[in-house]
Amino acid sequence: MGIYVVKRLLALIPVLLGVTILTFSIMHLSPGDPAKIILGSKATEESIRQLRAELGLDLPIYQQYLRWLGNILRGDWGRSIQMKMEVLPLILNRFGATLILTLASAGLATVFGVLSGIIAAQKKYTWIDRLLMLIVLVGFGMPVFWLGILLQITFGLKLNILPISGMYSPGQNGFLDLFKHLILPSISLAVGSGAIIARMTRSSMLEVFGQDYIRTARAKGLREKKVIYKHALKNAFIPIMTVIGMQIGFLLAGAVLVEMVFSWPGIGTLMVNGILARDFPLVQGIILFVATSYVLINLVVDILYAYLDPRISY
């Protein structure tokens, strides 16, 4: 197991290097001169030249990349043009809010997806199975921002039982207030991922239900709940766990839209504000941070996968 973890960590190096190359390329190979875009149409040639020198844009592209990569490795992620602050502390300061929203959504998606997938598999081809799969299909195809606005109108404006924006009410910072603010955005973000997890759970459970050891367990007179949760789910959970891990990465990246709809103070809101203000170093730092987080989440899933399934060769 230890050798496998070391191999996966070593394999992570070229992946993270690729992430930095992609992040750098997206920002530097996009059309337009970043210095002119940042300073606007009324900027003088002198001011543009000074900003290009300050950002290192007058160097050859490979030197720009090596300089940027070296700064990243030293913890210097650049300085926000709009906020006049270091980029990395800004991102870390907002990441806590995004992490809370992502974990709450992942928990909701996992509970809904696994339970509905088990029930659908257990009630295969009945009206319950068809109803659950119809709900899953609708949830999968529903745009996140549209669902968020719909929930805001229904539970915030019409019924007036839940807050529709922000992370806390003015003057409040308790857990209960945070929980009330978290309900609508986490549901909006969780629906799509829950649908995918439900489909995978149903498919994996149906495959396991057809195995001989499940028929043997039922023939021995074991209770159906024990057969499902102790024997079937344990063996069906490995592909489900892979999907859950991937969905956490997607939720982290997909929180941008939900944070904007609900004015949630995470890195998604920070990135959109950075794009609107043409804050080139800030946007670049956020893209790198989210992409790196996604890669690390997948590493954790791979290690758990190997831990749970001894058939994987180390």
Side-chain angles (χ1 to χ4, degrees):
M1 186 68 187
I3 296 173
Y4 176 77
V5 173
V6 171
K7 283 182 179 177
R8 288 293 293 117
L9 288 173
L10 291 176
L12 205 63
I13 295 173
V15 175
L16 289 176
L17 201 59
V19 167
T20 62
I21 292 172
L22 277 175
T23 305
F24 181 84
S25 302
I26 288 171
M27 297 304 297
H28 283 262
L29 300 181
S30 55
D33 186 339
K36 288 182 180 177
I37 293 173
I38 291 168
L39 294 175
S41 57
K42 295 182 180 177
T44 63
E45 286 298 323
E46 180 61 24
S47 61
I48 293 172
R49 195 161 43 247
Q50 285 181 355
L51 184 58
R52 285 179 62 82
E54 182 183 332
L55 296 176
L57 298 174
D58 53 345
L59 299 172
I61 192 74
Y62 74 92
Q63 287 187 15
Q64 291 183 43
Y65 170 71
L66 292 176
R67 176 179 167 178
W68 175 74
L69 183 61
N71 289 336
I72 290 290
L73 292 175
R74 286 193 295 271
D76 179 8
W77 287 41
R79 188 174 176 81
S80 167
I81 296 169
Q82 179 195 17
M83 302 184 183
K84 310 296 182 190
M85 294 174 64
E86 294 295 321
V87 166
L88 186 57
L90 267 176
I91 295 173
L92 294 176
N93 186 42
R94 295 289 195 94
F95 182 62
T98 299
L99 188 64
I100 290 172
L101 177 60
T102 302
L103 291 179
S105 304
L108 272 178
T110 302
V111 171
F112 167 78
V114 172
L115 286 181
S116 57
I118 291 173
I119 294 171
Q122 193 180 6
K123 305 291 183 184
K124 182 178 65 171
Y125 305 139
T126 65
W127 68 269
I128 297 176
D129 178 25
R130 291 189 176 92
L131 177 62
L132 284 172
M133 289 302 102
L134 178 63
I135 294 171
V136 163
L137 186 63
V138 172
F140 182 73
M142 192 174 292
V144 171
F145 65 92
W146 183 83
L147 176 60
I149 294 171
L150 191 66
L151 291 173
Q152 283 179 322
I153 293 172
T154 305
F155 294 97
L157 300 180
K158 298 289 184 185
L159 300 176
N160 196 26
I161 56 175
L162 288 171
I164 60 173
S165 66
M167 193 169 171
Y168 293 103
S169 302
Q172 300 285 328
N173 59 1
F175 175 76
L176 183 60
D177 191 55
L178 171 64
F179 179 73
K180 288 196 293 185
H181 282 78
L182 192 57
I183 292 174
L184 296 184
S186 57
I187 290 174
S188 304
L189 191 56
V191 166
S193 295
I196 294 172
I197 294 170
R199 293 280 299 179
M200 175 55 73
T201 303
R202 180 182 183 274
S203 174
S204 297
M205 291 297 285
L206 284 177
E207 186 178 342
V208 172
F209 281 162
Q211 300 296 317
D212 290 340
Y213 63 89
I214 295 295
R215 283 193 285 269
T216 303
R218 284 174 171 157
K220 289 164 68 177
L222 292 180
R223 288 187 304 166
E224 188 62 17
K225 280 187 178 178
K226 193 170 184 180
V227 172
I228 292 173
Y229 291 103
K230 185 174 181 182
H231 296 278
L233 183 59
K234 183 179 177 183
N235 290 285
F237 199 69
I238 290 174
I240 299 170
M241 188 186 67
T242 305
V243 171
I244 291 172
M246 291 177 66
Q247 289 308 307
I248 292 175
F250 284 125
L251 288 172
L252 187 63
V256 175
L257 284 175
V258 173
E259 288 184 5
M260 285 304 297
V261 170
F262 289 93
S263 300
W264 191 262
I267 56 175
T269 309
L270 186 67
M271 186 169 79
V272 173
N273 291 335
I275 292 171
L276 294 176
R278 298 167 179 172
D279 196 337
F280 165 72
L282 179 61
V283 175
Q284 193 174 41
I286 293 173
I287 293 174
L288 178 63
F289 187 86
V290 172
T292 304
S293 302
Y294 184 82
V295 171
L296 293 177
I297 289 169
N298 276 283
L299 170 68
V300 173
V301 172
D302 283 350
I303 293 173
L304 285 174
Y305 195 103
Y307 176 75
L308 293 175
D309 189 355
R311 292 171 297 181
I312 293 178
S313 60
Y314 300 150

